[in-house]
């Protein structure tokens, strides 16, 4: 923060800019997922849209928030209805059942379920497309 006195006794306070680009680990923590599950989302191409900057893959905060909103809207969960997972700054962080021992941030169980749902959906749709293509090829061969 910038605390400058302009000679008139009034200090100017400027907030620090909010981080808008995240790497994979930071994006996983922003969504409350493990890094491995976030990599699986990227592998199956059902996660947030990546942005490539000089061979580095980063994710925009707006894309991560849009993905969270889309997933929650798909299962009719509003942000106001969810319990906050952010710790109280006055109390020391307590270990919750949803917090991994190796991760410094709490995991979001709803986001985990929705991520697994998205991966499952992508796999099922891919299998159906492959079955349709193979079935079409076989029917062309026999007829």
């Amino acid at each position: 923060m910038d605390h400058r006195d302009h000679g008139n006794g009034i200090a100017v306070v400027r907030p620090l800019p909010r981080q808008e680009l995240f790497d994979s680990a930071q994006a996983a923590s922003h969504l409350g997922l493990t890094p491995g599950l976030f990599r699986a989302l990227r592998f199956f191409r059902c996660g947030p849209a990546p942005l490539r900057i000089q061979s580095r893959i980063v994710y925009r905060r707006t894309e991560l928030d849009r993905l969270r909103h889309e997933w929650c809207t798909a299962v009719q969960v509003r942000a106001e209805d969810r319990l906050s997972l952010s710790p109280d700054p006055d109390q020391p962080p307590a270990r919750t059942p949803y917090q991994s021992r190796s991760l410094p941030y709490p995991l979001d169980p709803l986001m985990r379920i929705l991520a697994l749902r998205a991966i499952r959906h992508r796999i099922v749709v891919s299998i159906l497309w492959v079955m349709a293509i193979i079935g079409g090829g076989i029917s062309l061969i026999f007829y």
Side-chain angles (χ1 to χ4, degrees), residues 29-132:
S29 70
H30 183 73
L31 289 175
L33 300 173
T34 60
L37 185 56
F38 193 78
R39 279 191 305 271
L41 283 173
R42 181 165 178 251
F43 177 77
F44 288 109
R45 289 184 273 158
C46 52
L51 178 66
R52 187 176 297 272
I53 299 176
Q54 294 181 355
S55 76
R56 271 189 62 207
I57 294 178
V58 294
Y59 299 90
R60 290 185 184 106
R61 177 186 295 271
T62 55
E63 285 294 320
L64 297 171
D65 293 339
R66 183 190 57 77
L67 179 73
R68 178 192 309 266
H69 179 71
E70 283 179 4
W71 284 357
C72 288
T73 303
V75 293
Q76 299 174 353
V77 173
R78 297 181 311 173
E80 305 87 51
D81 297 338
R82 298 195 62 211
L83 295 174
S84 175
L85 292 176
S86 61
D88 185 15
D90 297 334
Q91 295 179 353
R95 178 97 31 209
T96 64
Y98 303 113
Q99 188 171 5
S100 171
R101 291 191 177 121
S102 62
L103 297 175
Y105 55 89
L107 299 177
D108 189 347
L110 178 63
M111 285 293 111
R112 177 178 167 75
I113 291 170
L114 294 176
L116 291 173
R117 176 181 178 262
I119 291 170
R120 224 174 279 123
H121 177 76
R122 177 65 64 145
I123 290 172
V124 167
V125 168
S126 299
I127 288 173
L128 289 176
W129 271 106
V130 167
M131 289 171 56

